Amino acid sequence: MSGILFLLLSGVVLNAQETDSFKVYSKYDFIPGEKVLFFEDFSQEAIGDFPVRWNTNGSGEIVTNNKAGGRWLQIKTQGFYIPETRGGFPDNFTVEFDWIPAGKEDDPESSDMEIGFYLVSGTMSDPNEGGAVPGVAGNKINFTKNTTYYASYADGEYKLEGNADFELFKNRPYRISVWVQKQRLRIYINETKLIDAPRAMPAGFTYNILRFEVGSESAPMIANFRVAAGLPDLRN
């Protein structure tokens, strides 16, 4: 009888240890800017056309799909793709867009889904200024199959780099959110914060161009692109 009681008590102790697992809690802290500076949902564009308020040295067209509603800009070839926002952004601003990683090959396991998103201080007369470099200064963010990278650039060199793991799946929609507060840069996929770097944006520059870059095998889709003036970092 005492042996049975010991086993029962041991089971209670083990169960208590199993249920008392370590947990970490946080919150989704992204706050979209309220004053809209640029918005594009392509609702006024004709299927098959390239959107009138965007510029590229490649090719793309407005499409629909069976995974997500609305109209999407599908990028068709390698090159740059720039929404013509027409003006410098304030010190604090947010950028949001929906993104479906897709490749030219219909293979859900392939990794040809990378897209680059650049925050640039440059000139619209030379929209591809710097090529793979973000203009005179700025930050380039690369979203890949398993990892999101960022790299800040100024004075002819990269200043700071970082990355965070996040697995992406082809042909699924994701919400990308980017929050700039002077030098602070935060990057989110859906409600997961991947990057929070307090000195990632080079100081002393006005950022005025948002640029997508894609490789030869990627064919991503973009929708609901929104730029807005954001809140300052109240910690300072």
Side-chain angles (χ1 to χ4, degrees):
M1 181 68 178
S2 60
I4 294 174
L5 180 61
F6 174 76
L7 289 173
L8 290 173
L9 291 174
S10 297
V12 171
V13 172
L14 288 173
N15 287 334
Q17 290 175 341
E18 290 173 358
T19 57
D20 189 21
S21 59
F22 183 71
K23 296 180 175 63
V24 177
Y25 302 96
S26 184
K27 68 175 183 178
Y28 179 59
D29 62 349
F30 177 75
I31 301 176
E34 292 187 359
K35 182 181 178 181
V36 177
L37 306 176
F38 183 91
F39 179 72
E40 179 70 272
D41 63 1
F42 308 115
S43 60
Q44 303 302 312
E45 302 287 351
I47 302 297
D49 276 351
F50 188 84
V52 67
R53 295 197 298 164
W54 289 63
N55 186 22
T56 184
N57 63 348
S59 180
E61 63 181 7
I62 302 301
V63 300
T64 59
N65 64 79
N66 66 341
K67 296 290 185 179
R71 299 190 177 195
W72 297 70
L73 168 60
Q74 183 167 35
I75 293 171
K76 293 289 190 176
T77 65
Q78 184 174 1
F80 71 79
Y81 295 80
I82 298 175
E84 295 186 330
T85 53
R86 300 186 184 280
F89 308 124
D91 288 342
N92 308 291
F93 65 95
T94 60
V95 184
E96 305 165 77
F97 58 92
D98 294 325
W99 168 46
I100 298 179
K104 294 180 179 178
E105 299 296 331
D106 188 18
D107 178 3
E109 300 302 321
S110 67
S111 59
D112 55 351
M113 60 176 68
E114 182 173 347
I115 190 171
F117 180 62
Y118 293 20
L119 308 166
V120 179
S121 177
T123 58
M124 285 303 296
S125 61
D126 184 11
N128 199 34
E129 184 175 7
V133 174
V136 176
N139 205 294
K140 67 175 183 178
I141 305 166
N142 285 337
F143 298 96
T144 71
K145 180 176 175 60
N146 295 300
T147 308
T148 295
Y149 302 87
Y150 78 90
S152 62
Y153 178 87
D155 303 322
E157 62 181 358
Y158 287 103
K159 302 291 188 179
L160 185 69
E161 300 180 13
N163 64 79
D165 292 337
F166 190 97
E167 185 176 10
L168 297 166
F169 297 92
K170 185 177 286 188
N171 301 328
R172 292 188 187 179
Y174 295 92
R175 184 66 171 173
I176 305 298
S177 303
V178 177
W179 191 356
V180 174
Q181 293 174 306
K182 292 188 176 180
Q183 287 187 268
R184 187 180 183 185
L185 174 67
R186 279 178 276 186
I187 303 168
Y188 307 77
I189 298 181
N190 295 340
E191 295 190 355
T192 299
K193 180 166 63 176
L194 300 181
I195 302 293
D196 190 348
R199 299 291 182 269
M201 299 298 294
F205 297 93
T206 298
Y207 297 98
N208 61 328
I209 298 173
L210 303 172
R211 189 172 82 211
F212 290 95
E213 295 274 354
V214 300
S216 59
E217 297 304 317
S218 187
M221 286 174 268
I222 299 165
N224 300 313
F225 188 89
R226 183 183 188 270
V227 185
L231 297 173
D233 188 348
L234 298 179
R235 301 175 308 166
N236 297 324

mmCIF file of all heavy atoms in Angstrom, residues 97-145:
data_model
loop_
_atom_site.group_PDB
_atom_site.id
_atom_site.type_symbol
_atom_site.label_atom_id
_atom_site.label_comp_id
_atom_site.label_asym_id
_atom_site.label_seq_id
_atom_site.Cartn_x
_atom_site.Cartn_y
_atom_site.Cartn_z
ATOM 1 N N PHE A 97 3.040 46.566 -46.233
ATOM 2 C CA PHE A 97 2.549 45.990 -47.481
ATOM 3 C C PHE A 97 2.298 44.499 -47.289
ATOM 4 O O PHE A 97 2.908 43.847 -46.433
ATOM 5 C CB PHE A 97 3.535 46.228 -48.638
ATOM 6 C CG PHE A 97 4.924 45.700 -48.431
ATOM 7 C CD1 PHE A 97 5.285 44.431 -48.843
ATOM 8 C CD2 PHE A 97 5.891 46.501 -47.837
ATOM 9 C CE1 PHE A 97 6.576 43.950 -48.664
ATOM 10 C CE2 PHE A 97 7.190 46.033 -47.649
ATOM 11 C CZ PHE A 97 7.530 44.756 -48.067
ATOM 12 N N ASP A 98 1.365 43.986 -48.089
ATOM 13 C CA ASP A 98 1.128 42.548 -48.155
ATOM 14 C C ASP A 98 2.049 41.972 -49.218
ATOM 15 O O ASP A 98 2.274 42.587 -50.270
ATOM 16 C CB ASP A 98 -0.335 42.252 -48.502
ATOM 17 C CG ASP A 98 -1.284 42.707 -47.400
ATOM 18 O OD1 ASP A 98 -0.908 42.616 -46.219
ATOM 19 O OD2 ASP A 98 -2.396 43.153 -47.735
ATOM 20 N N TRP A 99 2.536 40.772 -48.963
ATOM 21 C CA TRP A 99 3.517 40.162 -49.853
ATOM 22 C C TRP A 99 3.254 38.663 -49.946
ATOM 23 O O TRP A 99 3.069 38.002 -48.921
ATOM 24 C CB TRP A 99 4.930 40.421 -49.325
ATOM 25 C CG TRP A 99 6.031 39.635 -49.975
ATOM 26 C CD1 TRP A 99 6.226 39.427 -51.305
ATOM 27 C CD2 TRP A 99 7.093 38.942 -49.307
ATOM 28 N NE1 TRP A 99 7.348 38.667 -51.512
ATOM 29 C CE2 TRP A 99 7.895 38.354 -50.301
ATOM 30 C CE3 TRP A 99 7.445 38.774 -47.975
ATOM 31 C CZ2 TRP A 99 9.030 37.594 -50.005
ATOM 32 C CZ3 TRP A 99 8.572 38.033 -47.669
ATOM 33 C CH2 TRP A 99 9.351 37.462 -48.685
ATOM 34 N N ILE A 100 3.206 38.166 -51.152
ATOM 35 C CA ILE A 100 3.131 36.725 -51.385
ATOM 36 C C ILE A 100 4.430 36.287 -52.046
ATOM 37 O O ILE A 100 4.692 36.646 -53.206
ATOM 38 C CB ILE A 100 1.929 36.343 -52.272
ATOM 39 C CG1 ILE A 100 0.617 36.737 -51.596
ATOM 40 C CG2 ILE A 100 1.940 34.845 -52.564
ATOM 41 C CD1 ILE A 100 -0.621 36.426 -52.421
ATOM 42 N N PRO A 101 5.292 35.554 -51.344
ATOM 43 C CA PRO A 101 6.510 35.036 -51.982
ATOM 44 C C PRO A 101 6.128 34.039 -53.072
ATOM 45 O O PRO A 101 5.343 33.127 -52.839
ATOM 46 C CB PRO A 101 7.253 34.344 -50.834
ATOM 47 C CG PRO A 101 6.622 34.850 -49.576
ATOM 48 C CD PRO A 101 5.205 35.168 -49.930
ATOM 49 N N ALA A 102 6.654 34.236 -54.235
ATOM 50 C CA ALA A 102 6.358 33.338 -55.356
ATOM 51 C C ALA A 102 7.561 33.298 -56.277
ATOM 52 O O ALA A 102 8.344 34.249 -56.350
ATOM 53 C CB ALA A 102 5.120 33.803 -56.124
ATOM 54 N N GLY A 103 7.707 32.190 -56.957
ATOM 55 C CA GLY A 103 8.794 32.033 -57.910
ATOM 56 C C GLY A 103 8.259 31.711 -59.281
ATOM 57 O O GLY A 103 7.069 31.455 -59.468
ATOM 58 N N LYS A 104 9.140 31.710 -60.238
ATOM 59 C CA LYS A 104 8.726 31.400 -61.599
ATOM 60 C C LYS A 104 8.449 29.911 -61.778
ATOM 61 O O LYS A 104 7.731 29.508 -62.690
ATOM 62 C CB LYS A 104 9.797 31.879 -62.573
ATOM 63 C CG LYS A 104 9.917 33.404 -62.577
ATOM 64 C CD LYS A 104 10.965 33.890 -63.531
ATOM 65 C CE LYS A 104 11.027 35.406 -63.500
ATOM 66 N NZ LYS A 104 12.074 35.950 -64.390
ATOM 67 N N GLU A 105 9.038 29.090 -60.907
ATOM 68 C CA GLU A 105 8.768 27.663 -60.932
ATOM 69 C C GLU A 105 7.736 27.334 -59.865
ATOM 70 O O GLU A 105 7.857 27.775 -58.728
ATOM 71 C CB GLU A 105 10.054 26.863 -60.684
ATOM 72 C CG GLU A 105 11.139 27.099 -61.723
ATOM 73 C CD GLU A 105 10.729 26.640 -63.110
ATOM 74 O OE1 GLU A 105 9.915 25.693 -63.198
ATOM 75 O OE2 GLU A 105 11.196 27.228 -64.092
ATOM 76 N N ASP A 106 6.725 26.573 -60.199
ATOM 77 C CA ASP A 106 5.653 26.238 -59.264
ATOM 78 C C ASP A 106 6.094 25.071 -58.378
ATOM 79 O O ASP A 106 5.581 23.960 -58.480
ATOM 80 C CB ASP A 106 4.378 25.898 -60.024
ATOM 81 C CG ASP A 106 3.185 25.732 -59.082
ATOM 82 O OD1 ASP A 106 3.288 26.203 -57.935
ATOM 83 O OD2 ASP A 106 2.190 25.134 -59.495
ATOM 84 N N ASP A 107 7.067 25.353 -57.519
ATOM 85 C CA ASP A 107 7.613 24.348 -56.615
ATOM 86 C C ASP A 107 7.597 24.917 -55.202
ATOM 87 O O ASP A 107 8.376 25.808 -54.882
ATOM 88 C CB ASP A 107 9.036 23.982 -57.031
ATOM 89 C CG ASP A 107 9.671 22.965 -56.078
ATOM 90 O OD1 ASP A 107 8.977 22.511 -55.151
ATOM 91 O OD2 ASP A 107 10.852 22.640 -56.263
ATOM 92 N N PRO A 108 6.700 24.447 -54.327
ATOM 93 C CA PRO A 108 6.577 25.031 -52.992
ATOM 94 C C PRO A 108 7.801 24.834 -52.122
ATOM 95 O O PRO A 108 7.960 25.511 -51.105
ATOM 96 C CB PRO A 108 5.352 24.308 -52.397
ATOM 97 C CG PRO A 108 5.247 23.035 -53.165
ATOM 98 C CD PRO A 108 5.729 23.355 -54.538
ATOM 99 N N GLU A 109 8.697 23.924 -52.494
ATOM 100 C CA GLU A 109 9.889 23.680 -51.698
ATOM 101 C C GLU A 109 11.097 24.493 -52.155
ATOM 102 O O GLU A 109 12.115 24.526 -51.475
ATOM 103 C CB GLU A 109 10.245 22.181 -51.735
ATOM 104 C CG GLU A 109 9.155 21.280 -51.197
ATOM 105 C CD GLU A 109 8.790 21.611 -49.757
ATOM 106 O OE1 GLU A 109 9.697 21.917 -48.973
ATOM 107 O OE2 GLU A 109 7.594 21.579 -49.439
ATOM 108 N N SER A 110 11.017 25.129 -53.304
ATOM 109 C CA SER A 110 12.172 25.874 -53.796
ATOM 110 C C SER A 110 12.340 27.173 -53.023
ATOM 111 O O SER A 110 11.420 27.661 -52.377
ATOM 112 C CB SER A 110 12.015 26.160 -55.291
ATOM 113 O OG SER A 110 10.938 27.045 -55.499
ATOM 114 N N SER A 111 13.533 27.730 -53.096
ATOM 115 C CA SER A 111 13.861 28.911 -52.294
ATOM 116 C C SER A 111 13.889 30.190 -53.114
ATOM 117 O O SER A 111 14.430 31.198 -52.664
ATOM 118 C CB SER A 111 15.214 28.704 -51.606
ATOM 119 O OG SER A 111 16.223 28.486 -52.572
ATOM 120 N N ASP A 112 13.343 30.170 -54.333
ATOM 121 C CA ASP A 112 13.407 31.344 -55.199
ATOM 122 C C ASP A 112 12.301 32.343 -54.854
ATOM 123 O O ASP A 112 11.472 32.702 -55.680
ATOM 124 C CB ASP A 112 13.324 30.927 -56.673
ATOM 125 C CG ASP A 112 12.093 30.078 -56.978
ATOM 126 O OD1 ASP A 112 11.419 29.675 -56.013
ATOM 127 O OD2 ASP A 112 11.808 29.840 -58.159
ATOM 128 N N MET A 113 12.311 32.796 -53.600
ATOM 129 C CA MET A 113 11.263 33.696 -53.139
ATOM 130 C C MET A 113 11.838 34.949 -52.506
ATOM 131 O O MET A 113 11.126 35.723 -51.892
ATOM 132 C CB MET A 113 10.353 32.974 -52.137
ATOM 133 C CG MET A 113 11.097 32.472 -50.901
ATOM 134 S SD MET A 113 10.000 31.732 -49.657
ATOM 135 C CE MET A 113 9.471 30.273 -50.519
ATOM 136 N N GLU A 114 13.123 35.181 -52.633
ATOM 137 C CA GLU A 114 13.763 36.310 -51.974
ATOM 138 C C GLU A 114 13.304 37.633 -52.573
ATOM 139 O O GLU A 114 13.082 37.763 -53.771
ATOM 140 C CB GLU A 114 15.283 36.184 -52.105
ATOM 141 C CG GLU A 114 16.049 37.296 -51.414
ATOM 142 C CD GLU A 114 17.554 37.055 -51.402
ATOM 143 O OE1 GLU A 114 17.966 35.915 -51.705
ATOM 144 O OE2 GLU A 114 18.293 37.998 -51.102
ATOM 145 N N ILE A 115 13.162 38.643 -51.707
ATOM 146 C CA ILE A 115 12.853 39.998 -52.156
ATOM 147 C C ILE A 115 13.652 40.967 -51.300
ATOM 148 O O ILE A 115 13.849 40.755 -50.104
ATOM 149 C CB ILE A 115 11.338 40.289 -52.069
ATOM 150 C CG1 ILE A 115 10.998 41.608 -52.765
ATOM 151 C CG2 ILE A 115 10.852 40.294 -50.630
ATOM 152 C CD1 ILE A 115 9.509 41.859 -52.908
ATOM 153 N N GLY A 116 14.141 42.032 -51.938
ATOM 154 C CA GLY A 116 14.842 43.087 -51.223
ATOM 155 C C GLY A 116 13.971 44.323 -51.130
ATOM 156 O O GLY A 116 13.260 44.670 -52.084
ATOM 157 N N PHE A 117 14.025 44.977 -49.975
ATOM 158 C CA PHE A 117 13.278 46.222 -49.774
ATOM 159 C C PHE A 117 14.246 47.254 -49.207
ATOM 160 O O PHE A 117 14.811 47.041 -48.144
ATOM 161 C CB PHE A 117 12.087 45.997 -48.837
ATOM 162 C CG PHE A 117 11.277 47.239 -48.591
ATOM 163 C CD1 PHE A 117 10.625 47.878 -49.636
ATOM 164 C CD2 PHE A 117 11.168 47.772 -47.321
ATOM 165 C CE1 PHE A 117 9.891 49.023 -49.424
ATOM 166 C CE2 PHE A 117 10.421 48.913 -47.089
ATOM 167 C CZ PHE A 117 9.777 49.548 -48.138
ATOM 168 N N TYR A 118 14.423 48.374 -49.934
ATOM 169 C CA TYR A 118 15.434 49.359 -49.587
ATOM 170 C C TYR A 118 14.784 50.661 -49.113
ATOM 171 O O TYR A 118 13.846 51.159 -49.738
ATOM 172 C CB TYR A 118 16.315 49.674 -50.786
ATOM 173 C CG TYR A 118 17.207 48.543 -51.275
ATOM 174 C CD1 TYR A 118 16.961 47.215 -50.966
ATOM 175 C CD2 TYR A 118 18.319 48.824 -52.064
ATOM 176 C CE1 TYR A 118 17.769 46.196 -51.422
ATOM 177 C CE2 TYR A 118 19.153 47.808 -52.527
ATOM 178 C CZ TYR A 118 18.861 46.490 -52.203
ATOM 179 O OH TYR A 118 19.676 45.482 -52.657
ATOM 180 N N LEU A 119 15.310 51.223 -48.037
ATOM 181 C CA LEU A 119 14.962 52.557 -47.563
ATOM 182 C C LEU A 119 16.114 53.465 -47.985
ATOM 183 O O LEU A 119 17.229 53.333 -47.472
ATOM 184 C CB LEU A 119 14.795 52.566 -46.043
ATOM 185 C CG LEU A 119 13.848 51.508 -45.455
ATOM 186 C CD1 LEU A 119 14.039 51.387 -43.954
ATOM 187 C CD2 LEU A 119 12.406 51.854 -45.771
ATOM 188 N N VAL A 120 15.862 54.394 -48.888
ATOM 189 C CA VAL A 120 16.954 55.052 -49.602
ATOM 190 C C VAL A 120 16.911 56.568 -49.448
ATOM 191 O O VAL A 120 15.851 57.187 -49.520
ATOM 192 C CB VAL A 120 16.879 54.701 -51.111
ATOM 193 C CG1 VAL A 120 17.993 55.399 -51.886
ATOM 194 C CG2 VAL A 120 16.963 53.192 -51.303
ATOM 195 N N SER A 121 18.098 57.150 -49.277
ATOM 196 C CA SER A 121 18.303 58.583 -49.464
ATOM 197 C C SER A 121 19.014 58.738 -50.799
ATOM 198 O O SER A 121 20.183 58.372 -50.933
ATOM 199 C CB SER A 121 19.149 59.169 -48.328
ATOM 200 O OG SER A 121 19.395 60.545 -48.553
ATOM 201 N N GLY A 122 18.302 59.236 -51.812
ATOM 202 C CA GLY A 122 18.871 59.309 -53.147
ATOM 203 C C GLY A 122 18.139 60.318 -53.997
ATOM 204 O O GLY A 122 17.503 61.242 -53.488
ATOM 205 N N THR A 123 18.204 60.157 -55.304
ATOM 206 C CA THR A 123 17.559 61.078 -56.234
ATOM 207 C C THR A 123 16.650 60.299 -57.167
ATOM 208 O O THR A 123 17.036 59.251 -57.687
ATOM 209 C CB THR A 123 18.607 61.846 -57.070
ATOM 210 O OG1 THR A 123 19.412 60.905 -57.786
ATOM 211 C CG2 THR A 123 19.504 62.700 -56.183
ATOM 212 N N MET A 124 15.452 60.813 -57.406
ATOM 213 C CA MET A 124 14.518 60.141 -58.295
ATOM 214 C C MET A 124 14.963 60.208 -59.755
ATOM 215 O O MET A 124 14.510 59.432 -60.585
ATOM 216 C CB MET A 124 13.127 60.739 -58.151
ATOM 217 C CG MET A 124 12.408 60.313 -56.876
ATOM 218 S SD MET A 124 12.243 58.510 -56.707
ATOM 219 C CE MET A 124 11.188 58.118 -58.099
ATOM 220 N N SER A 125 15.876 61.148 -60.076
ATOM 221 C CA SER A 125 16.398 61.185 -61.436
ATOM 222 C C SER A 125 17.308 59.991 -61.724
ATOM 223 O O SER A 125 17.551 59.659 -62.876
ATOM 224 C CB SER A 125 17.172 62.490 -61.672
ATOM 225 O OG SER A 125 18.274 62.573 -60.773
ATOM 226 N N ASP A 126 17.796 59.350 -60.652
ATOM 227 C CA ASP A 126 18.606 58.131 -60.784
ATOM 228 C C ASP A 126 18.052 57.107 -59.795
ATOM 229 O O ASP A 126 18.657 56.817 -58.773
ATOM 230 C CB ASP A 126 20.072 58.433 -60.494
ATOM 231 C CG ASP A 126 20.978 57.225 -60.717
ATOM 232 O OD1 ASP A 126 20.493 56.224 -61.298
ATOM 233 O OD2 ASP A 126 22.146 57.272 -60.309
ATOM 234 N N PRO A 127 16.858 56.557 -60.077
ATOM 235 C CA PRO A 127 16.154 55.748 -59.073
ATOM 236 C C PRO A 127 16.893 54.481 -58.672
ATOM 237 O O PRO A 127 16.674 53.969 -57.575
ATOM 238 C CB PRO A 127 14.821 55.413 -59.752
ATOM 239 C CG PRO A 127 15.085 55.574 -61.217
ATOM 240 C CD PRO A 127 16.092 56.659 -61.325
ATOM 241 N N ASN A 128 17.758 53.993 -59.528
ATOM 242 C CA ASN A 128 18.517 52.786 -59.195
ATOM 243 C C ASN A 128 19.913 53.140 -58.688
ATOM 244 O O ASN A 128 20.846 52.343 -58.784
ATOM 245 C CB ASN A 128 18.631 51.864 -60.409
ATOM 246 C CG ASN A 128 18.997 50.442 -60.005
ATOM 247 O OD1 ASN A 128 18.588 49.965 -58.953
ATOM 248 N ND2 ASN A 128 19.764 49.768 -60.841
ATOM 249 N N GLU A 129 20.035 54.343 -58.147
ATOM 250 C CA GLU A 129 21.334 54.831 -57.674
ATOM 251 C C GLU A 129 21.976 53.834 -56.716
ATOM 252 O O GLU A 129 21.377 53.433 -55.727
ATOM 253 C CB GLU A 129 21.148 56.171 -56.966
ATOM 254 C CG GLU A 129 22.437 56.823 -56.519
ATOM 255 C CD GLU A 129 22.193 58.206 -55.932
ATOM 256 O OE1 GLU A 129 21.012 58.581 -55.763
ATOM 257 O OE2 GLU A 129 23.179 58.900 -55.661
ATOM 258 N N GLY A 130 23.191 53.447 -57.031
ATOM 259 C CA GLY A 130 23.905 52.507 -56.181
ATOM 260 C C GLY A 130 23.671 51.055 -56.526
ATOM 261 O O GLY A 130 24.381 50.187 -56.029
ATOM 262 N N GLY A 131 22.660 50.765 -57.358
ATOM 263 C CA GLY A 131 22.374 49.366 -57.692
ATOM 264 C C GLY A 131 22.016 48.573 -56.443
ATOM 265 O O GLY A 131 20.987 48.811 -55.819
ATOM 266 N N ALA A 132 22.870 47.626 -56.069
ATOM 267 C CA ALA A 132 22.617 46.806 -54.880
ATOM 268 C C ALA A 132 22.836 47.585 -53.591
ATOM 269 O O ALA A 132 22.498 47.104 -52.514
ATOM 270 C CB ALA A 132 23.519 45.577 -54.894
ATOM 271 N N VAL A 133 23.386 48.796 -53.689
ATOM 272 C CA VAL A 133 23.621 49.654 -52.525
ATOM 273 C C VAL A 133 22.441 50.610 -52.383
ATOM 274 O O VAL A 133 21.938 51.127 -53.388
ATOM 275 C CB VAL A 133 24.935 50.444 -52.703
ATOM 276 C CG1 VAL A 133 25.136 51.454 -51.590
ATOM 277 C CG2 VAL A 133 26.118 49.481 -52.778
ATOM 278 N N PRO A 134 21.974 50.884 -51.161
ATOM 279 C CA PRO A 134 20.812 51.774 -50.988
ATOM 280 C C PRO A 134 21.156 53.250 -51.154
ATOM 281 O O PRO A 134 21.211 54.019 -50.191
ATOM 282 C CB PRO A 134 20.342 51.452 -49.572
ATOM 283 C CG PRO A 134 21.561 50.970 -48.865
ATOM 284 C CD PRO A 134 22.372 50.251 -49.893
ATOM 285 N N GLY A 135 21.408 53.697 -52.400
ATOM 286 C CA GLY A 135 21.597 55.104 -52.696
ATOM 287 C C GLY A 135 22.807 55.717 -52.020
ATOM 288 O O GLY A 135 23.838 55.077 -51.819
ATOM 289 N N VAL A 136 22.680 57.006 -51.657
ATOM 290 C CA VAL A 136 23.733 57.702 -50.923
ATOM 291 C C VAL A 136 23.843 57.135 -49.516
ATOM 292 O O VAL A 136 24.930 56.958 -48.964
ATOM 293 C CB VAL A 136 23.436 59.214 -50.883
ATOM 294 C CG1 VAL A 136 24.456 59.949 -50.034
ATOM 295 C CG2 VAL A 136 23.401 59.781 -52.300
ATOM 296 N N ALA A 137 22.706 56.848 -48.943
ATOM 297 C CA ALA A 137 22.643 56.259 -47.601
ATOM 298 C C ALA A 137 21.305 55.562 -47.450
ATOM 299 O O ALA A 137 20.358 55.828 -48.193
ATOM 300 C CB ALA A 137 22.811 57.333 -46.527
ATOM 301 N N GLY A 138 21.235 54.663 -46.488
ATOM 302 C CA GLY A 138 19.968 53.990 -46.253
ATOM 303 C C GLY A 138 20.140 52.624 -45.649
ATOM 304 O O GLY A 138 21.155 52.333 -45.006
ATOM 305 N N ASN A 139 19.138 51.802 -45.886
ATOM 306 C CA ASN A 139 19.137 50.464 -45.307
ATOM 307 C C ASN A 139 18.511 49.504 -46.306
ATOM 308 O O ASN A 139 17.480 49.818 -46.907
ATOM 309 C CB ASN A 139 18.330 50.443 -44.009
ATOM 310 C CG ASN A 139 18.778 49.327 -43.086
ATOM 311 O OD1 ASN A 139 18.601 48.163 -43.414
ATOM 312 N ND2 ASN A 139 19.340 49.688 -41.948
ATOM 313 N N LYS A 140 19.142 48.363 -46.501
ATOM 314 C CA LYS A 140 18.545 47.355 -47.360
ATOM 315 C C LYS A 140 18.137 46.166 -46.501
ATOM 316 O O LYS A 140 18.880 45.694 -45.649
ATOM 317 C CB LYS A 140 19.482 46.927 -48.482
ATOM 318 C CG LYS A 140 20.723 46.173 -48.087
ATOM 319 C CD LYS A 140 21.455 45.731 -49.352
ATOM 320 C CE LYS A 140 22.681 44.889 -49.029
ATOM 321 N NZ LYS A 140 23.358 44.415 -50.257
ATOM 322 N N ILE A 141 16.908 45.716 -46.730
ATOM 323 C CA ILE A 141 16.327 44.600 -45.999
ATOM 324 C C ILE A 141 16.066 43.486 -46.998
ATOM 325 O O ILE A 141 15.395 43.708 -48.013
ATOM 326 C CB ILE A 141 15.010 45.016 -45.311
ATOM 327 C CG1 ILE A 141 15.226 46.242 -44.421
ATOM 328 C CG2 ILE A 141 14.432 43.859 -44.506
ATOM 329 C CD1 ILE A 141 13.943 46.916 -43.990
ATOM 330 N N ASN A 142 16.579 42.320 -46.734
ATOM 331 C CA ASN A 142 16.353 41.163 -47.597
ATOM 332 C C ASN A 142 15.522 40.131 -46.856
ATOM 333 O O ASN A 142 15.900 39.687 -45.763
ATOM 334 C CB ASN A 142 17.676 40.537 -48.033
ATOM 335 C CG ASN A 142 18.383 41.343 -49.098
ATOM 336 O OD1 ASN A 142 17.755 42.117 -49.810
ATOM 337 N ND2 ASN A 142 19.684 41.172 -49.208
ATOM 338 N N PHE A 143 14.393 39.759 -47.444
ATOM 339 C CA PHE A 143 13.561 38.694 -46.908
ATOM 340 C C PHE A 143 13.857 37.433 -47.713
ATOM 341 O O PHE A 143 13.658 37.409 -48.935
ATOM 342 C CB PHE A 143 12.081 39.057 -47.020
ATOM 343 C CG PHE A 143 11.691 40.293 -46.248
ATOM 344 C CD1 PHE A 143 11.619 41.521 -46.885
ATOM 345 C CD2 PHE A 143 11.413 40.232 -44.897
ATOM 346 C CE1 PHE A 143 11.259 42.663 -46.186
ATOM 347 C CE2 PHE A 143 11.051 41.366 -44.182
ATOM 348 C CZ PHE A 143 10.978 42.590 -44.832
ATOM 349 N N THR A 144 14.346 36.391 -47.052
ATOM 350 C CA THR A 144 14.652 35.141 -47.724
ATOM 351 C C THR A 144 13.808 34.022 -47.127
ATOM 352 O O THR A 144 13.025 34.244 -46.199
ATOM 353 C CB THR A 144 16.142 34.791 -47.605
ATOM 354 O OG1 THR A 144 16.439 34.400 -46.255
ATOM 355 C CG2 THR A 144 17.020 35.987 -47.974
ATOM 356 N N LYS A 145 13.990 32.814 -47.636
ATOM 357 C CA LYS A 145 13.162 31.683 -47.231
ATOM 358 C C LYS A 145 13.205 31.430 -45.723
ATOM 359 O O LYS A 145 12.190 31.103 -45.112
ATOM 360 C CB LYS A 145 13.604 30.419 -47.972
ATOM 361 C CG LYS A 145 12.800 29.171 -47.626
ATOM 362 C CD LYS A 145 13.234 27.999 -48.465
ATOM 363 C CE LYS A 145 12.544 26.714 -48.058
ATOM 364 N NZ LYS A 145 11.083 26.784 -48.170
#
